[in-house]
Amino acid sequence: MEMRDYSVLISVVHMDEYYNVDAWPQEGDKVEMTPMVKQPGGRVANTACVMSQLGDGIKFFDVLSRDATDSFLLEDLETYEINISGVSYADGIVNSKCIIILSKKDKTCLKIVNPKPQIELTNSQREMFYNSKYIYCAMGFHELIENSRENFASFVKHGARLAMDIEEGFRIDDQDYYFSLSDVLFFNQFGFLRNAELYGGEEGFLQYIFERGVKIVALTLGKDGCKIITPDRVIEEPAYDVKVVDPSGAGDTFNGAFLHGLINGWSLERCAKFAVGAAGYCVSTFGARSAAVSEETINKFIKENGRLCKS
């Protein structure tokens, strides 16, 4: 019997810089920001940490420099028991980072993303992708791999399942192709609605997605929980009523916890409950990786907040 005991998560890891303001300014205003902390971050890297601490085998792929910052970020990933042997290196890369500004009402993220070269995969990197259970990345990060269309089709042909996190900024000509390779698509409510506008609304967009062969759409709704949609049913799971300390990383946590459930063969209902619970735990603590904890810890949080996560 074929054993696929790990998943590969693709890019990007960077530093998160937190600042606090009383209120987000209007254009042209001046405000004072209070520095808080710096800590490792990155959407997919956060998801990798969550999944690894839940017990999933994780290998991480990115293209980085060998400078002190990137070396620190990779060492930090290893503390979460993530395999970084598949990472590529290139000269001249300028570090990306995310500036997270917390106000009384919400957070605002300013992403400083610097270009990276496309990498031709080595034989060992190619085998890493071929033999993975899931490949997870955000749309756009797939372009780190040279000849990405051919390579991703080959990964799926070899048995890897593709899960993609979609934002509104991806190119439409890429969308159709990568949707046709994907098992699972993750959207937040804003990205989903902006994409749906191109297809005459939500119903038309979902029809388009499922016609491509996608099996699951996981839609996060912030304080309203989530909606899990398949071609033949809809599952809605409400959010937990907890005090929000820091909303950073909630979506990354949801995605990782949901994939953890799929990897372990859980029902979609259980996946949804667990993922919403993990996101609730995340926002009730500080830091984008605060929910990189054990399955037992998340289940304890779920039980204490009134909804036992059953299979």
Side-chain angles (χ1 to χ4, degrees):
M1 182 177 179
E2 183 181 28
M3 292 294 294
R4 294 179 179 267
D5 59 0
Y6 66 88
S7 297
V8 179
L9 278 69
I10 303 175
S11 195
V12 61
V13 62
H14 56 61
M15 292 299 294
D16 285 344
E17 297 181 6
Y18 281 81
Y19 298 84
N20 183 266
V21 296
D22 289 333
W24 184 250
Q26 298 294 318
E27 188 171 355
D29 285 350
K30 291 183 179 180
V31 297
E32 291 187 1
M33 297 195 307
T34 304
M36 297 174 68
V37 296
K38 289 184 181 181
Q39 57 188 26
R43 287 165 55 197
V44 177
N46 295 337
T47 300
C49 293
V50 168
M51 294 179 69
S52 181
Q53 293 304 287
L54 288 172
D56 303 317
I58 299 298
K59 297 189 178 185
F60 189 73
F61 177 84
D62 201 349
V63 183
L64 299 170
S65 71
R66 296 184 183 273
D67 70 4
T69 298
D70 282 349
S71 296
F72 168 77
L73 291 170
L74 288 176
E75 289 171 5
D76 183 74
L77 288 181
E78 288 187 302
T79 68
Y80 290 90
E81 301 179 17
I82 293 170
N83 186 320
I84 62 168
S85 62
V87 169
S88 288
Y89 299 92
D91 295 329
I93 294 177
V94 179
N95 301 123
S96 299
K97 65 180 177 180
C98 184
I99 298 173
I100 301 170
I101 303 172
L102 300 178
S103 63
K104 292 179 181 178
K105 291 186 177 181
D106 209 339
K107 70 166 183 177
T108 302
C109 295
L110 305 176
K111 298 178 181 178
I112 302 172
V113 180
N114 292 303
K116 296 184 178 186
Q118 288 189 323
I119 293 297
E120 182 179 354
L121 295 177
T122 65
N123 289 336
S124 62
Q125 287 172 325
R126 200 177 303 279
E127 288 296 320
M128 175 182 72
F129 284 106
Y130 285 164
N131 296 317
S132 63
K133 189 170 185 93
Y134 275 94
I135 297 170
Y136 172 84
C137 69
M139 184 69 80
F141 294 161
H142 62 283
E143 294 182 345
L144 285 175
I145 298 173
E146 194 174 78
N147 300 317
S148 59
R149 286 179 171 241
E150 294 83 356
N151 275 309
F152 273 79
S154 183
F155 302 157
V156 172
K157 184 177 180 181
H158 278 79
R161 298 175 184 176
L162 181 60
M164 301 198 83
D165 183 20
I166 312 299
E167 287 191 338
E168 63 272 19
F170 61 91
R171 295 200 307 270
I172 299 303
D173 57 349
D174 275 335
Q175 169 182 294
D176 187 87
Y177 184 78
Y178 288 99
F179 281 12
S180 69
L181 297 177
S182 298
D183 271 29
V184 186
L185 298 180
F186 292 97
F187 293 87
N188 65 30
Q189 56 190 324
F190 307 109
F192 182 80
L193 289 174
R194 289 190 182 103
N195 280 287
E197 289 173 358
L198 302 171
Y199 298 88
E202 296 180 33
E203 187 175 332
F205 187 42
L206 286 169
Q207 180 180 351
Y208 166 82
I209 288 171
F210 292 130
E211 284 176 352
R212 308 277 80 74
V214 174
K215 297 178 178 62
I216 302 168
V217 171
L219 176 59
T220 55
L221 304 172
K223 63 182 178 61
D224 295 319
C226 79
K227 188 181 289 186
I228 307 302
I229 310 167
T230 72
D232 54 11
R233 62 179 173 143
V234 177
I235 299 165
E236 296 185 73
E237 181 65 26
Y240 288 87
D241 185 16
V242 296
K243 180 181 178 181
V244 176
V245 174
D246 177 15
S248 303
D252 307 330
T253 297
F254 177 94
N255 294 0
F258 190 86
L259 280 176
H260 171 71
L262 291 181
I263 287 169
N264 285 279
W266 295 355
S267 68
L268 290 181
E269 288 83 359
R270 185 180 178 188
C271 289
K273 283 183 173 65
F274 185 77
V276 168
Y281 182 91
C282 180
V283 302
S284 68
T285 52
F286 185 83
R289 297 182 185 173
S290 62
V293 294
S294 69
E295 189 178 309
E296 180 183 7
T297 299
I298 299 301
N299 279 327
K300 183 173 182 241
F301 171 86
I302 290 169
K303 185 176 180 180
E304 289 176 348
N305 284 272
R307 297 205 300 278
L308 186 61
C309 186
K310 298 179 180 179
S311 58

